[in-house]
Amino acid sequence: MKEIMVRAIYCEMLGYEASFSYIHAIKLAQQGSVLEKRVGYLAVSLFLHESHDLLLLLVNTVLKDLQSTNLIEVCMALTVVSQIFPKDMIPAVLPLVEDKLTHSKEIIRRKAVLALYKFYLIAPNQVQHIHDKFRKALCDKDPGVMTASLHIYLKLIKESPESYKDLTDSFVTILKQVVGGKLPVDFNYHSVPAPWLQMQLLRILALLGKEDQRTSEMMYEVLDESLRRAEINHNITYAILYECLKTIYTIHPKSELLEKAAKCIGKFVLSPKINLKYLGLKALTYVVQQDPNLALQHQMTIIECLDHSDPIIKRETLELLYRITNGQNVSVIVEKMLDFLRLSKDEYTTIDLVGKVAELAEKYPFPYNSWFIQTMNAIFSIGGDVMQPDIPNNFLRLLAEGFDSDEEDRQLRLLAVDSYLSLLECDTSGLPQRFLQVISWVLGEFSFLKEGLEPADVVERLGKLLDDDAITTETRCWVLAAMSKLCGSSDALCKAEKVAHKYTSCLDTALRQQAVELELLGRDVDLRTRVLPQHGFCVWLQVDSSLSFLDGFVSDALARGAAPYKPPHQRQEELSQEKILNFEPYGLSLPVSLSACSLTDRQSPTALSLSSSLSNLLKLEGVKRVWGKQGYLPEKQATEEALAQEPSSIFAPSHQQACSESQQTTFSTIVEQDQEKRQLASSLFVGLGSQNLGKPEASSSQRFRRKVRPEDPSDVNRSLAVSSSFSHSSSALDVLLDNAIPDPTNLSDSTSEAVPAVGNTEVVEASEVSSLSGGSGPLAQPSSQVERGLESDLPSRLPATLVGLLRSDVEELCSGESLSLSACKVFDADALVLAIFLSNISDSSIQEVSCLISSEQLKVPEMCSTFSVLSFYLNVVVSLYRLVMEAPGTQAIVRGSVSCASQATQSFSLTLSLVDFIRPLPLTTEEYGKMWLSFSHDVKQNLMLLKHEEEDQLEAALTALKEKLCLHIVDVIGAEGIMACQLVSGRPCLLHCHTHGGMLAIWLRSPIADLPDCLLYHCQKAIQER
Amino acid sequence: IICCPPPLQMQFMLLFSRQGKLRLQKWYVPLSDKEKKKITRELVQTVLARKPKMCSFLEWRDLKIVYKRYASLYFCCAIEDQDNELITLEIIHRYVELLDKYFGSVCELDIIFNFEKAYFILDEFLLGGEAQETSKKNVLKAIEQADLLQEVRLGGGDLHGI
């Protein structure tokens, strides 16, 4: 069998189909002896690809072999796992592979790390919880394992360099050791220590040091060392040098290093070895944007390379020239490029280069108009039909829209017309279709510019084009369209009609339409001048791209019960979801006991019998409109909103009523916003609409006014709409000034009184004197004591609307000479409110304090809170931000900065977990059952429950999840429990837990794509930390 | 067609003879058979047409091809444009060294008759398009161990779960 399999592999390689042997390859891997297994696995990895159906049959074998005590079997299984493994099956092997990270043999550890790397590439969310273990692998005592872990880090750092800055030091140290020759000699390659490892590290450093001076400074020394060490004249040292150069030019520049690097580039470029020369050119291309002088230094070499016999060298030189093009040299460089293009046969090169030439020709103010037209003609005839379609489009737009001066425009168009007329006189059979289309459009629009040219003449020449059989229907349409523009004189009309008549019975609808249009327009002169005015090329057409005129139709249909529109990708997704097989063993599968409440599942065969009873329940119309296939639909139109509240809708859970109120308020703003958007789109001026309530300018000016006239009620009302607000010292200031030195015991009273005075807004007073406990005045108080006093009662400064809510402890963010920042998270029902307390810890006033926060992962209200004065006796202000996580992620980083007039900007960052955005979702078991079925995204995983001795493992696990993640426990039935939660605001996620033999099988479902994955990660953490 | 490969990964590796006969192929990106055949045909033609003094690198579609000839065999790798061509050349060289050491002055016939061995060595050296183990000794040790098929059993539980 083994021999036969080897032969089958050989057949496949020779190009013969041997798919009949695939199943035997899997069998061989499954049943054979170790030797046979090896060939079986090899055949599988060569025959199959990741999404091949047969691969599923391999999963069990892999599982078995991973648990084998035979090292070689484990190795083989790990090798095949890191080459091809179906994404859906990763959870099945993940725990086993994870275990192998602590294996005693380094080869197993190394392969396990690479397998995890592979998993990370195809399903990043599933391995999120083992990032710590990657760190352990990085510190592994075996250099091979450490090298393998660098693959993962390179990828991770590429995605978010910020999160791994702390590792810079380790990477630099490792590189230092490698360069210094501290690794075992085994890893040397031609007496260069571990070149692959060095390069990997250099790449990582480049990513870390990019645009970051502080981090870059840490690596200057080791980079210098690497440059110095790489002296042996061998390819491998050049490879490292090249990587070094790239790193040096990517990170924050240091002149000394750059100088050395420039010298190195010289070594490459001047080398007689052609490979090195090529790489030198590539390096030059990379660095020349930063330092154009380098190109000057190697001027002569570049010129030589331009005439090199090897086209690849020429090509790279052109790439370099493209980067250094400017207004003066553009015509020469374009000429060179066109020369190359004329010789090149390769389609990809042509597409790429033609695009570049066109870009250059349009970008630079060309020396003279005829040059531009000629260049574009060359592009069209060379690029032909393979080039990007936007090149001719841009060219025509350029001609139509024109430039600043009318005379210039006229000349350019005339030149184009002239050159095209002369082209049409010659043989046109070789011209690409695109070019012919451009020609006919230009002649149709602009041939009137040429004096003494009869339209009939042009029509005739265009007509000749149509005689060619090779011409496509599309081009014919363009020609006919051009003709219809030219039918001004009766002579031309007569000729055009004759041509068009041939096509009025043509089978191609587009062509036929064009021909009939021409005939009709020819008969009706008025209509023609209206439809095709002579200067029609620069009239802006207004198109309602949002198709708003159909809105009424849509809402009517929705009101009549039509299903809401689903974009194609979603339909596709649902379709594939339905087709998917159930890979879980039946025992673990869906809650049979829960079937009483119709929590069945299409994937679970055990529950199939119940599906009939289920379908009855699913027919509830009212339910469908609120809970579509993709789950809760908060964005749906008003009609639905109304329906959702009809008494007939049996599915109106309490939580929904709670949020429907807030939705209705937002609904009116949505309509406003829509109109606003349309207006904005139609006008070119994209200004700040009133929906951008949080814009810095608007709110800060408001603030100033409020400061002057704190009693103005209209201002306060307006600030109601500002979603993120802050408190400041308005009316309390008056109170305080009146009282001069207030009694500390009165302070809380004065605050609570002040709140209703401003109205039930989020703008609340938080200014009070807390340090004036003694009669001696603030100056006598040591500032540290002041601060400590503040820490404890900071939360009391939160606005009254937030007082009753759950909140986290106050956490200090950063502290400068005079300002100290603390933050507190308040878990509001529909958002996470981040309260930032700015405390003045100095003994003088601070002017112009402003606080700005931003986050990549969150929707942050774009506003900058500014406080004009933060005086020493009014020493705390609160800035509130309502944060909502739009796209689920396991965590989100909020960055912020505080600046004030007298002091340097202080910046801080705060990591928020997904859990901060999770709220319990109160549901009944029945509601849960229905929702479960309608959600399309799900994730399953088995978690180890460590505490075996516990009496009721399920309850303990559920309690832990409930406490850590704020979940709502819907029901517990036997060994199964169901829970529900929502991501603020209103995006549900359902959990189903099932314990068996020390394992907790968690199954999550949600209408939001990444939510189950991310939440699972936190569930794992919660269970582990328990 | 090549769907979002990870950063700087090798796309595929081909070994073919001077006559254009394919001797070994390893694909690190999922492609259809038809596509593979087309690529192979195109590449073999292009590479064989090149003169010996020419550059070892080629631009092909949006990829870079790095090739080197050893005796009658061409080793040919496809990498991404931003990758380092020179190190790929050295990867090829290291692979040849490994083959050489394993077979003892390797020739084309060795690879024809023992091509599964050549695959095993490649899998031990490159995994999923990334250099896995760069120490020559370690690679060969792993291969020899597997060849000998000694049942390297771990005793009891003493080495487990450290």
Side-chain angles (χ1 to χ4, degrees):
Chain A
M1 194 64 195
K2 184 187 137 227
E3 271 308 302
I4 297 168
M5 196 46 64
V6 170
R7 264 157 231 206
I9 299 175
Y10 203 78
C11 286
E12 279 266 303
M13 187 165 68
L14 292 179
Y16 300 103
E17 169 100 16
S19 53
F20 59 86
S21 60
Y22 294 176
I23 186 70
H24 297 287
I26 288 177
K27 269 165 120 179
L28 197 65
Q30 204 165 17
Q31 294 157 351
S33 69
V34 184
L35 196 60
E36 288 173 329
K37 230 181 215 317
R38 197 174 173 208
V39 176
Y41 272 131
L42 175 69
V44 168
S45 72
L46 290 171
F47 287 154
L48 306 183
H49 55 84
E50 262 155 37
S51 43
H52 202 286
D53 293 337
L54 284 178
L55 212 52
L56 291 172
L57 298 175
L58 194 72
V59 173
N60 226 354
T61 318
V62 170
L63 278 175
K64 205 178 74 202
D65 286 340
L66 279 177
Q67 286 160 319
S68 160
T69 46
N70 188 335
L71 273 186
I72 290 169
E73 280 180 351
V74 181
C75 273
M76 288 190 296
L78 283 173
T79 308
V80 84
V81 160
S82 27
Q83 292 190 56
I84 42 163
F85 204 71
K87 189 180 169 187
D88 316 334
M89 295 314 296
I90 290 177
V93 294
L94 193 57
L96 286 173
V97 176
E98 256 182 85
D99 275 353
K100 298 288 180 262
L101 286 176
T102 50
H103 202 274
S104 57
K105 285 279 180 201
E106 60 272 1
I107 184 169
I108 305 276
R109 290 204 301 271
R110 190 182 71 218
K111 281 181 194 276
V113 169
L114 282 168
L116 289 178
Y117 168 62
K118 172 79 177 176
F119 292 164
Y120 179 73
L121 290 180
I122 54 180
N125 281 326
Q126 306 212 0
V127 291
Q128 243 163 1
H129 62 288
I130 34 182
H131 282 198
D132 294 345
K133 296 194 175 160
F134 294 155
R135 287 207 183 210
K136 225 177 263 169
L138 183 66
C139 308
D140 199 284
K141 57 182 187 296
D142 181 68
V145 183
M146 188 258 288
T147 315
S149 73
L150 290 182
H151 291 304
I152 301 177
Y153 276 102
L154 183 65
K155 174 87 179 151
L156 286 174
I157 292 171
K158 199 164 202 169
E159 275 160 12
S160 71
E162 293 304 318
S163 339
Y164 295 93
K165 296 277 184 198
D166 57 319
L167 283 174
T168 315
D169 201 34
S170 323
F171 291 128
V172 168
T173 320
I174 298 173
L175 184 58
K176 228 177 249 170
Q177 286 175 358
V178 176
V179 173
K182 298 275 185 346
L183 282 192
V185 197
D186 284 352
F187 289 90
N188 279 12
Y189 176 84
H190 295 263
S191 66
V192 176
W196 281 274
L197 178 53
Q198 282 194 44
M199 301 207 0
Q200 206 73 4
L201 285 167
L202 285 169
R203 282 172 185 163
I204 288 176
L205 290 183
L207 290 174
L208 284 173
K210 197 175 182 187
E211 288 157 9
D212 183 345
Q213 187 176 359
R214 219 170 46 85
T215 317
S216 299
E217 272 162 7
M218 293 161 76
M219 45 186 96
Y220 289 146
E221 192 193 326
V222 73
L223 287 176
D224 190 47
E225 177 82 5
S226 302
L227 276 186
R228 215 159 41 78
R229 291 266 183 169
E231 270 172 350
I232 319 152
N233 196 9
H234 188 275
N235 268 345
I236 194 77
T237 51
Y238 283 107
I240 294 171
L241 266 185
Y242 176 74
E243 214 56 54
C244 228
L245 292 178
K246 267 177 97 168
T247 307
I248 289 172
Y249 274 94
T250 314
I251 62 172
H252 188 88
K254 186 189 182 200
S255 55
E256 214 177 295
L257 270 182
L258 288 182
E259 219 169 89
K260 283 185 187 164
K263 245 183 235 158
C264 274
I265 293 183
K267 256 198 243 174
F268 275 97
V269 177
L270 298 174
S271 162
K273 284 189 191 159
I274 190 161
N275 289 346
L276 296 184
K277 207 182 251 316
Y278 176 81
L279 229 58
L281 287 172
K282 201 174 156 187
L284 262 185
T285 315
Y286 188 76
V287 303
V288 90
Q289 277 156 323
Q290 290 182 36
D291 187 5
N293 287 331
L294 269 179
L296 283 181
Q297 279 173 31
H298 301 294
Q299 231 171 358
M300 286 325 288
T301 328
I302 294 170
I303 302 282
E304 272 168 34
C305 291
L306 207 50
D307 294 322
H308 202 279
S309 57
D310 193 346
I312 186 86
I313 299 274
K314 264 196 207 176
R315 174 81 180 79
E316 198 55 45
T317 318
L318 288 178
E319 196 67 39
L320 171 62
L321 291 179
Y322 166 71
R323 300 284 170 98
I324 55 166
T325 310
N326 56 40
Q328 279 103 52
N329 60 14
V330 60
S331 59
V332 189
I333 289 176
V334 163
E335 194 48 44
K336 288 284 173 200
M337 284 178 156
L338 288 176
D339 281 348
F340 182 83
L341 272 174
R342 286 187 187 105
L343 294 173
S344 156
K345 293 276 176 295
D346 183 55
E347 197 176 291
Y348 280 79
T349 320
T350 313
I351 295 173
D352 185 49
L353 261 187
V354 158
K356 281 178 177 155
V357 175
E359 190 196 319
L360 291 179
E362 279 164 24
K363 189 166 146 195
Y364 291 101
F366 24 88
Y368 32 91
N369 284 334
S370 61
W371 175 83
F372 178 63
I373 297 291
Q374 274 164 14
T375 310
M376 290 316 282
N377 285 355
I379 290 174
F380 290 138
S381 47
I382 296 168
D385 296 321
V386 294
M387 68 186 167
Q388 301 287 347
D390 55 344
I391 296 175
N393 292 349
N394 282 346
F395 171 68
L396 294 184
R397 213 183 53 206
L398 206 71
L399 274 188
E401 286 171 11
F403 304 94
D404 300 334
S405 87
D406 285 344
E407 179 53 29
E408 192 106 323
D409 292 346
R410 208 186 64 82
Q411 248 181 20
L412 189 66
R413 290 167 189 160
L414 202 56
L415 270 169
V417 170
D418 271 342
S419 77
Y420 294 154
L421 281 176
S422 57
L423 263 174
L424 285 187
E425 267 167 27
C426 320
D427 180 26
T428 56
S429 58
L431 294 180
Q433 302 299 317
R434 289 261 178 76
F435 195 20
L436 292 177
Q437 290 163 11
V438 169
I439 291 176
S440 36
W441 190 87
V442 171
L443 289 182
E445 289 289 348
F446 300 119
S447 62
F448 70 91
L449 287 171
K450 190 172 165 75
E451 282 165 33
L453 178 69
E454 282 295 317
D457 234 21
V458 185
V459 171
E460 197 179 319
R461 282 187 210 188
L462 286 174
K464 267 192 208 148
L465 281 180
L466 294 176
D467 296 338
D468 189 351
D469 286 337
I471 197 168
T472 62
T473 335
E474 198 194 346
T475 315
R476 281 175 209 272
C477 286
W478 282 76
V479 172
L480 284 184
M483 283 182 172
S484 18
K485 289 174 201 157
L486 291 166
C487 300
S489 73
S490 57
D491 198 11
L493 179 65
C494 175
K495 275 184 180 155
E497 276 183 334
K498 216 161 65 188
V499 177
H501 189 71
K502 259 196 286 182
Y503 296 104
T504 46
S505 54
C506 172
L507 281 180
D508 186 275
T509 45
L511 190 55
R512 190 165 173 173
Q513 184 189 351
Q514 200 63 254
V516 173
E517 266 174 24
L518 191 150
E519 282 198 328
L520 284 176
L521 291 178
R523 268 178 237 143
D524 189 341
V525 182
D526 282 346
L527 186 63
R528 201 181 76 79
T529 43
R530 251 194 16 239
V531 177
L532 300 166
Q534 200 163 55
H535 293 276
F537 52 82
C538 51
V539 176
W540 289 100
L541 292 177
Q542 236 172 28
V543 180
D544 184 359
S545 58
S546 64
L547 302 179
S548 58
F549 51 88
L550 290 175
D551 283 355
F553 178 74
V554 172
S555 57
D556 278 355
L558 282 173
R560 265 182 274 117
Y565 173 72
K566 283 177 209 151
H569 64 88
Q570 196 189 338
R571 267 174 278 163
Q572 205 79 41
E573 225 167 61
E574 280 167 18
L575 220 61
S576 60
Q577 284 277 327
E578 268 154 33
K579 276 186 200 152
I580 213 155
L581 285 168
N582 180 17
F583 301 133
E584 283 286 306
Y586 292 149
L588 299 184
S589 185
L590 226 230
V592 188
S593 51
L594 279 183
S595 53
C597 55
S598 78
L599 200 151
T600 51
D601 184 281
R602 56 181 178 270
Q603 296 175 14
S604 166
T606 50
L608 269 180
S609 56
L610 288 145
S611 59
S612 52
S613 67
L614 176 78
S615 57
N616 294 334
L617 290 168
L618 274 181
K619 277 179 198 151
L620 297 161
E621 295 295 311
V623 177
K624 270 227 151 173
R625 284 179 207 110
V626 198
W627 300 96
K629 267 275 184 189
Q630 69 272 60
Y632 190 44
L633 308 164
E635 76 277 10
K636 281 295 160 298
Q637 301 302 314
T639 49
E640 287 191 21
E641 200 91 324
L643 278 169
Q645 285 173 8
E646 275 173 21
S648 67
S649 154
I650 60 140
F651 190 57
S654 54
H655 86 280
Q656 191 225 324
Q657 269 167 355
C659 28
S660 68
E661 206 182 300
S662 64
Q663 271 167 26
Q664 268 176 344
T665 51
T666 52
F667 176 70
S668 56
T669 51
I670 288 172
V671 173
E672 262 172 45
Q673 281 174 13
D674 269 0
Q675 281 171 350
E676 200 99 36
K677 272 181 199 153
R678 251 170 259 146
Q679 266 175 12
L680 284 178
S682 58
S683 67
L684 283 170
F685 187 75
V686 186
L688 300 166
S690 64
Q691 80 266 41
N692 296 326
L693 285 162
K695 284 286 171 196
E697 305 92 287
S699 47
S700 63
S701 64
Q702 226 171 292
R703 219 164 289 136
F704 280 124
R705 258 190 290 146
R706 204 153 7 111
K707 202 146 183 83
V708 182
R709 304 172 291 147
E711 67 289 340
D712 186 346
S714 70
D715 269 337
V716 177
N717 280 342
R718 227 180 300 166
S719 68
L720 252 170
V722 180
S723 58
S724 70
S725 59
F726 56 91
S727 34
H728 71 122
S729 57
S730 53
S731 53
L733 187 66
D734 305 339
V735 179
L736 290 175
L737 290 177
D738 289 343
N739 293 1
I741 302 172
D743 186 342
T745 52
N746 281 345
L747 284 174
S748 53
D749 293 337
S750 74
T751 321
S752 53
E753 274 162 27
V755 173
V758 192
N760 193 13
T761 72
E762 289 159 52
V763 181
V764 199
E765 308 318 314
S767 55
E768 44 182 273
V769 185
S770 61
S771 58
L772 297 180
S773 48
S776 49
L779 292 176
Q781 293 285 341
S783 60
S784 61
Q785 207 181 331
V786 173
E787 202 198 341
R788 218 176 304 130
L790 287 176
E791 281 299 324
S792 56
D793 58 53
L794 277 177
S796 69
R797 282 146 207 276
L798 288 169
T801 44
L802 299 178
V803 165
L805 299 166
L806 271 178
R807 57 175 167 75
S808 70
D809 293 335
V810 176
E811 172 188 356
E812 189 171 334
L813 291 173
C814 64
S815 174
E817 280 171 31
S818 51
L819 263 179
S820 163
L821 267 72
S822 321
C824 167
K825 295 181 272 191
V826 185
F827 306 108
D828 200 357
D830 55 349
L832 176 71
V833 181
L834 183 67
I836 296 184
F837 301 94
L838 304 154
S839 329
N840 182 356
I841 49 172
S842 72
D843 45 14
S844 56
S845 299
I846 306 172
Q847 310 281 327
E848 296 288 331
V849 183
S850 66
C851 177
L852 183 71
I853 70 164
S854 69
S855 169
E856 283 168 23
Q857 297 95 339
L858 298 176
K859 200 174 97 182
V860 178
E862 255 186 54
M863 71 164 286
C864 174
S865 342
T866 317
F867 310 95
S868 62
V869 180
L870 187 54
S871 65
F872 63 92
Y873 52 89
L874 292 169
N875 41 24
V876 182
V877 284
V878 190
S879 181
L880 298 177
Y881 300 91
R882 299 186 78 83
L883 305 176
V884 172
M885 191 178 252
E886 300 259 279
T890 50
Q891 62 175 38
I893 297 169
V894 174
R895 278 170 231 292
S897 59
V898 175
S899 56
C900 54
S902 57
Q903 214 184 341
T905 308
Q906 276 169 256
S907 55
F908 58 89
S909 80
L910 186 69
T911 307
L912 300 172
S913 149
L914 174 72
V915 180
D916 294 332
F917 297 90
I918 293 289
R919 304 284 177 271
L921 178 62
L923 285 178
T924 66
T925 315
E926 276 172 23
E927 287 158 2
Y928 180 95
K930 277 166 216 144
M931 281 166 86
W932 179 269
L933 291 164
S934 62
F935 294 166
S936 49
H937 299 280
D938 69 346
V939 170
K940 270 185 241 183
Q941 187 134 357
N942 293 338
L943 305 178
M944 200 75 83
L945 288 172
L946 294 171
K947 296 176 189 159
H948 285 285
E949 69 278 7
E950 266 167 4
E951 281 284 301
D952 191 345
Q953 291 185 332
L954 179 70
E955 200 188 316
L958 292 187
T959 319
L961 290 175
K962 183 189 173 182
E963 277 167 11
K964 294 248 167 68
L965 306 178
C966 283
L967 306 176
H968 170 71
I969 300 181
V970 181
D971 208 349
V972 179
I973 303 164
E976 295 163 50
I978 49 176
M979 287 182 285
C981 66
Q982 56 176 328
L983 178 65
V984 286
S985 54
R987 289 167 294 174
C989 185
L990 305 180
L991 290 92
H992 169 250
C993 303
H994 175 85
T995 46
H996 58 95
M999 296 287 272
L1000 178 71
I1002 291 198
W1003 191 351
L1004 294 101
R1005 276 200 170 190
S1006 167
I1008 316 290
D1010 289 330
L1011 188 53
D1013 268 351
C1014 302
L1015 198 61
L1016 177 63
Y1017 166 66
H1018 287 288
C1019 289
Q1020 276 169 335
K1021 251 175 60 179
I1023 294 288
Q1024 274 167 15
E1025 285 168 7
R1026 193 157 61 94
Chain B
I1 308 156
I2 297 169
C3 53
C4 56
L8 309 181
Q9 184 208 37
M10 191 183 284
Q11 312 276 311
F12 55 83
M13 187 177 202
L14 299 175
L15 259 73
F16 51 87
S17 70
R18 217 161 42 155
Q19 288 77 36
K21 281 265 191 304
L22 197 59
R23 294 291 176 225
L24 201 86
Q25 56 172 350
K26 185 83 195 179
W27 302 84
Y28 296 109
V29 281
L31 289 172
S32 71
D33 283 346
K34 215 172 132 196
E35 190 71 13
K36 285 181 190 172
K37 270 182 207 163
K38 193 170 158 239
I39 291 174
T40 314
R41 204 171 46 239
E42 264 181 54
L43 268 186
V44 169
Q45 268 175 15
T46 333
V47 171
L48 287 179
R50 292 183 59 86
K51 297 184 188 77
K53 282 276 167 209
M54 278 179 158
C55 193
S56 305
F57 316 129
L58 260 185
E59 242 167 63
W60 183 79
R61 299 204 186 170
D62 51 348
L63 297 176
K64 278 280 167 63
I65 305 295
V66 177
Y67 72 92
K68 190 156 188 190
R69 187 180 152 182
Y70 288 91
S72 59
L73 264 189
Y74 282 90
F75 289 70
C76 172
C77 290
I79 53 169
E80 275 162 87
D81 190 43
Q82 314 85 15
D83 209 345
N84 188 325
E85 288 90 349
L86 270 185
I87 200 79
T88 313
L89 212 52
E90 295 316 299
I91 283 181
I92 294 178
H93 190 73
R94 176 41 61 104
Y95 181 47
V96 175
E97 278 180 6
L98 286 169
L99 289 174
D100 202 54
K101 190 86 182 262
Y102 182 80
F103 288 109
S105 72
V106 68
C107 68
E108 198 184 332
L109 283 179
D110 286 327
I111 293 175
I112 295 174
F113 290 118
N114 296 297
F115 74 96
E116 82 274 16
K117 297 263 165 59
Y119 274 121
F120 290 141
I121 297 174
L122 187 62
D123 280 350
E124 207 56 47
F125 174 48
L126 292 175
L127 197 55
E130 306 273 7
Q132 178 194 181
E133 177 58 80
T134 53
S135 150
K136 191 151 70 172
K137 204 179 83 186
N138 288 354
V139 174
L140 291 175
K141 207 170 80 189
I143 294 290
E144 270 158 27
Q145 257 179 6
D147 279 352
L148 287 173
L149 284 178
Q150 290 161 338
E151 302 275 296
V152 196
R153 287 194 184 277
L154 285 172
D158 54 343
L159 286 170
H160 267 298
I162 297 166

